[in-house]
Amino acid sequence: MGAAITVDALVMTYGSLRAVDGVSFDVRPGEFFGLLGPNGAGKTTTLETVEGLRKPDAGSVAIDGYDPWKRQPELQRRIGVQLQSSAFFERLTAREQLVTFASLYGVASGRADELLEQVGLTDKANSPVEKLSGGQAQRLSIACALVHDPEVLFLDEPTAALDPQARRNLWDFLEGLNDSGRTVVLTTHSMEEAEVLCDRVAIIDRGRLLKLDTPQALIRGLDVATRISVVPGLVRPHEARAWPGVADVVESDVALVIETRDPGPVLAALAERDALEGLAVTKGTLEDVFLSLTGREYRA
Amino acid sequence: MSRGTAARSPLGALTGAMFKGFVRDRMTLFWAVAFPLMFLVLFGGVFTGQDEAPKVDVVQVGAVPVLDDLPAAARDSIGEGLDVEKRPGLDAALDSLREGDVDAVVTQDGDDVTLHFSQADQVKAAQVRGLFQAVVQIADQAASGQAPRFTLSTEQVEDDSLEQIQYVTPSLLGWAVAMSATFGAAANLVAWRVSGLLRRLRLAPIRTSSVVLARVGVSVVIAGVQAAIFIGLGVGAFGLKLTGWWPLIVPLLLFGTLSFLSIGMLAGAVSRTEEGAVGLANFVVLPMAFLSGSFFPLDGAPTWLRAVSSCLPLKHLNDGMLDVMVRGQGPSALLVPIAVLLAFTVVLSAVAARVFRWEA
C-alpha cells in the first residue's frame, strides 16, 4: 500500500506568470509530505497538476508510473482528493454524500457509517451539508476522499479557515492517516501544521522549491540561537550574561530570556542555581527557516 | 468492505443525488411544477367558463301572453338563455334595471310587447333583444296558424375542432417540459461547476457521459410527472378529452426533453453564475413559448411570425403534442417533430460539448 510520486521539472504558467517554475521532488510510499508556502506560492497549482486536474506546461508528473492528466480509472481508484472548496452534492445529507461518493468508487454503503464515526460526524449523519459548520464540512470532505480507502490522499489546505480549536481537532485525525502505509500529500500555509503533521516538507515560494527535508533537519540546519526562558527574578541578567556561550539576555515582566548557540552549559548553570521554574527551550521554527531562505518575514 | 447494501452503479448514484437535489429545492419545484400548473388552471379553468353565454335576468311585470303561451319546444330552447322572474310593480323593476341587478324588464299591453333594457352591458343588451325578437316571432307565427317554412340549424365550430382546454393542455405541457429541462440542466451544470463538484467528479473513476445521462434521466422523470399531473388535472377537472393516440406523447416527451436539455447545457456552459444561467435560459425559453403558441394559438399571426415559429423546437413539440393528444393523429404525426427535436439536440449538444468547462 502507498504509492510513489515523482514530479520532475514541473512548469505551469498563467499568461506571463510562471506559477510553478521548475519544481522537482519525490514523495515516498507511506510518507506524509507537505507543500509549504505563503498564499500564491504555487502550492495548489503544483498539487492540482499532481492530482491530474491540470496539464503541465513543461516537465512531468507520475504517480506509480501513471500520468495523472490522462483520466485512467485504475489510477483514479487509487487516489483520494480533498479540494480547497468543499465540493458537495447540494441538499444531500452528510450520510447521503458519503454513500453517493462510495457508489462512484464502487464501494458498498456500509463504509459511509464507518467513516462518519471516524470523523466524528455520526450525530450529523442526517444533516444537509449546507447546515454543517466549517470544521464539520472539512471533515466530511476528507471522509469523502477516504471513502474508497485510497493509497494516496491529497489534501489542499484542509485546515484553512478553521478556528484554532477545530484546527487542532483535525490535526489529531490527520496524523493517523498514513499509519496504514498510505501516502499523504498536503498543502498548507501554516508552518505549525507542517511541523506537526509532515515527515518531510517542501518549502515553496514564488513558484520555486526552496528546500526539501524533514522539519527537524530544516530547523537544525538553521544558524539561529536557542532561546531559554525562565521566570524573571531567579537569576540576575548581568550574571547570566557572563556565562560561557551566552549571546544575549533580555529580562521582561514575564520572562528572563537567554539566547545561546550552546544550550548545554546554560541549562547546567540554571540547574545549579535551582532556577528552572517556568523553563522553556525553543530552537528556531519553520518561520525562521523561511526567513533565512527568502530574507522575508513569513506571512501566510 | 462488503458490509451494508451493495454499491449502486455510478450512474444510479449520480441520478439519485441529482433527483434528491431537485425535489428538495422548493424554488425549482415551484418553477417546474406549480408555475405551469397555475397557467393551466388560469387558461383551462377560468377562461373556459366564459365560452358559454351567461343567462339574462328578465323581470316580467303583469301578464305577458307572448311569454306565458310560448310553445313548450320554444320555451325549452329560449329558456336556456333566459331567467324570468315575475314582479308586481313596474317602477321598482325599472329601478332594479337601472342599478344593474336585472338585465331587462318586459310588459305587454294588448298586442304591444315592451322590452326595457340597459345599454350598460352591451353584450347582454344585444342578447336580450335578440331573444325577445324570437319570442315575438314565434308568437306571431302561432297566431297566423301556419307551419314554419324555413328552419335554421346551428352548429358550433369549436365542437369539431378545439375547445380552449383541448388546446392549452398540450401546448402548456410542451412549455412546462421545455422550461424545466432547460432550467434544470443549466442551473445544475453551473452550480456543480461553481462549487467545484465537477472538478471533484473529474477525478472520480466515472465516465463524463454518466453525468450527462444522469441529468437526462432526472429530466425525463420530471417531464413524465409533469405530463401525468397536466393530463390528470385536464381530464379530471377541466373536461379534457384525449384521443386514442395520446400515449405517443411518451416519445415526444423524451425527444423534447433531450432537445431542451441541450439548450440548457449550452446556457450552463457559457454562464459563470447560476443566476446568469437561469436568466439566459429564461431569455431563450420565454419568447420561444410565445412564438411557439404555448399560451395562445398563432393562427391569426402574420406570415413572417409563423415562419419564425416553424424554426423553433418548441413549436414542433407543441404541434406533436396537439396532434396525438387531441387531434387524433397517429404515429406519422410524430415524424417531423421528432426529426426537428433530434436535429436540435445533435447540433446544440455538439456546441455545448465544445464550450464545456470543468472549472469555474
Side-chain angles (χ1 to χ4, degrees):
Chain A
M1 185 124 178
I5 299 167
T6 308
V7 176
D8 186 32
L10 182 64
V11 176
M12 294 293 291
T13 51
Y14 296 119
S16 61
L17 175 76
R18 284 169 93 86
V20 179
D21 192 3
V23 166
S24 302
F25 60 87
D26 290 301
V27 181
R28 300 167 194 147
E31 189 170 34
F32 207 126
F33 189 90
L35 291 166
L36 171 70
N39 284 337
K43 318 180 288 291
T44 296
T45 305
T46 304
L47 188 74
E48 290 185 347
T49 313
V50 176
E51 290 166 348
L53 283 173
R54 298 174 189 279
K55 188 179 194 297
D57 291 324
S60 67
V61 175
I63 302 175
D64 260 5
Y66 288 98
D67 175 357
W69 174 247
K70 297 178 185 149
R71 296 187 64 212
Q72 296 162 94
E74 315 91 78
L75 175 63
Q76 286 168 332
R77 266 189 271 275
R78 294 169 65 177
I79 66 174
V81 185
Q82 177 255 324
L83 299 173
Q84 218 171 67
S85 66
S86 295
F88 293 129
F89 292 95
E90 67 273 24
R91 292 179 286 280
L92 258 54
T93 67
R95 187 171 186 282
E96 287 170 336
Q97 205 72 239
L98 279 166
V99 170
T100 304
F101 271 107
S103 305
L104 297 185
Y105 287 88
V107 176
S109 60
R111 174 84 173 140
D113 300 309
E114 199 176 293
L115 274 166
L116 280 173
E117 199 183 325
Q118 268 185 44
V119 299
L121 288 175
T122 306
D123 56 330
K124 293 282 168 191
N126 296 317
S127 300
V129 287
E130 287 83 3
K131 296 264 166 72
L132 299 180
S133 73
Q136 291 165 343
Q138 205 60 278
R139 277 183 281 154
L140 180 62
S141 180
I142 294 167
C144 287
L146 287 169
V147 79
H148 54 300
D149 204 11
E151 293 169 38
V152 188
L153 178 66
F154 295 105
L155 303 170
D156 198 358
E157 309 222 354
T159 63
L162 296 191
D163 62 68
Q165 187 55 49
R167 173 176 296 200
R168 261 161 229 287
N169 290 344
L170 194 55
W171 284 351
D172 289 340
F173 175 68
L174 294 178
E175 261 187 315
L177 283 181
N178 65 330
D179 285 352
S180 55
R182 176 184 290 129
T183 309
V184 182
V185 181
L186 150 136
T187 67
T188 179
H189 57 241
S190 159
M191 294 280 184
E192 197 188 355
E193 185 164 300
E195 276 185 78
V196 171
L197 294 175
C198 298
D199 296 325
R200 285 194 308 152
V201 179
I203 297 177
I204 294 184
D205 187 45
R206 296 176 177 169
R208 289 179 173 276
L209 194 154
L210 302 180
K211 200 137 189 166
L212 169 59
D213 213 328
T214 64
Q216 297 75 20
L218 287 170
I219 294 161
R220 210 180 304 123
L222 273 179
D223 189 26
V224 293
T226 302
R227 294 152 64 88
I228 300 166
S229 64
V230 289
V231 172
L234 299 175
V235 180
R236 296 214 176 111
H238 67 88
E239 194 185 338
R241 232 171 246 128
W243 295 345
V246 170
D248 195 13
V249 179
V250 179
E251 192 178 36
S252 70
D253 291 345
V254 291
L256 176 81
V257 179
I258 305 167
E259 283 190 15
T260 175
R261 284 170 202 282
D262 189 8
V266 177
L267 287 171
L270 284 170
E272 217 170 88
R273 287 165 182 76
D274 197 17
L276 292 173
E277 197 187 336
L279 176 73
V281 182
T282 51
K283 168 126 171 125
T285 62
L286 278 174
E287 264 98 345
D288 299 314
V289 176
F290 186 84
L291 177 66
S292 78
L293 288 172
T294 65
R296 289 182 288 126
E297 284 283 347
Y298 183 81
R299 279 192 193 83
Chain B
M1 274 182 270
S2 55
R3 283 145 296 165
T5 51
R8 281 180 300 173
S9 71
L11 178 58
L14 286 171
T15 310
M18 259 182 208
F19 194 73
K20 284 178 189 154
F22 172 80
V23 296
R24 287 176 192 175
D25 184 3
R26 297 226 176 98
M27 278 311 282
T28 330
L29 218 50
F30 172 80
W31 289 112
V33 180
F35 187 59
L37 271 182
M38 279 166 48
F39 273 73
L40 182 68
V41 172
L42 202 66
F43 285 111
V46 182
F47 294 164
T48 307
Q50 292 183 354
D51 280 357
E52 288 177 26
K55 286 192 169 187
V56 288
D57 296 322
V58 177
V59 172
Q60 173 185 343
V61 180
V64 179
V66 288
L67 262 186
D68 298 337
D69 302 341
L70 211 56
R75 179 179 291 274
D76 280 350
S77 70
I78 288 175
E80 270 178 24
L82 210 56
D83 236 356
V84 182
E85 185 192 346
K86 292 183 181 172
R87 287 192 202 169
L90 178 62
D91 289 342
L94 288 177
D95 281 342
S96 315
L97 174 60
R98 285 192 193 93
E99 284 162 19
D101 296 335
V102 298
D103 299 311
V105 175
V106 66
T107 57
Q108 186 170 359
D109 182 16
D111 289 344
D112 288 334
V113 179
T114 309
L115 180 71
H116 306 266
F117 68 94
S118 158
Q119 197 62 26
D121 185 339
Q122 299 187 4
V123 175
K124 283 190 172 169
Q127 201 181 339
V128 77
R129 276 185 297 174
L131 279 167
F132 274 89
Q133 290 282 3
V135 168
V136 171
Q137 269 170 26
I138 291 166
D140 242 1
Q141 196 185 46
S144 73
Q146 287 190 358
R149 184 168 162 202
F150 302 106
T151 55
L152 174 70
S153 326
T154 58
E155 265 178 50
Q156 197 185 346
V157 66
E158 281 81 10
D159 277 334
D160 291 339
S161 134
L162 296 178
E163 278 178 27
Q164 179 88 347
I165 189 67
Q166 301 288 91
Y167 180 81
V168 296
T169 313
S171 318
L172 284 176
L173 178 56
W175 168 63
V177 167
M179 195 173 70
S180 60
T182 312
F183 282 51
N188 194 175
L189 183 59
V190 176
W192 282 19
R193 189 170 57 224
V194 169
S195 77
L197 186 60
L198 273 188
R199 317 175 74 203
R200 179 66 188 80
L201 292 178
R202 191 183 178 186
L203 294 177
I206 54 166
R207 293 193 202 92
T208 316
S209 60
S210 298
V211 182
V212 178
L213 280 177
R215 189 65 238 176
V216 171
V218 170
S219 291
V220 167
V221 169
I222 295 168
V225 171
Q226 285 174 322
I229 295 178
F230 265 67
I231 292 174
L233 199 66
V235 171
F238 301 132
L240 171 71
K241 292 180 200 74
L242 292 171
T243 54
W245 284 107
W246 74 269
L248 286 177
I249 62 165
V250 172
L252 277 172
L253 289 175
L254 178 67
F255 287 101
T257 301
L258 285 177
S259 177
F260 285 93
L261 268 183
S262 55
I263 293 179
M265 289 281 184
L266 187 55
V270 299
S271 304
R272 295 204 166 272
T273 63
E274 218 173 319
E275 291 79 10
V278 169
L280 185 58
N282 236 327
F283 184 74
V284 174
V285 175
L286 198 60
M288 196 194 298
F290 277 101
L291 290 174
S292 303
S294 277
F295 304 126
F296 39 79
L298 292 176
D299 301 338
T303 322
W304 67 268
L305 202 65
R306 276 183 283 164
V308 172
S309 173
S310 63
C311 302
L312 301 173
L314 185 52
K315 167 71 181 163
H316 293 274
L317 178 59
N318 286 344
D319 267 353
M321 291 284 201
L322 283 165
D323 283 348
V324 301
M325 280 172 75
V326 296
R327 286 182 185 143
Q329 304 213 29
S332 62
L334 294 182
L335 292 179
V336 173
I338 287 182
V340 173
L341 292 171
L342 202 58
F344 267 94
T345 308
V346 170
V347 173
L348 291 172
S349 353
V351 178
R354 277 197 74 89
V355 295
F356 175 81
R357 288 170 294 141
W358 291 94
E359 315 251 335

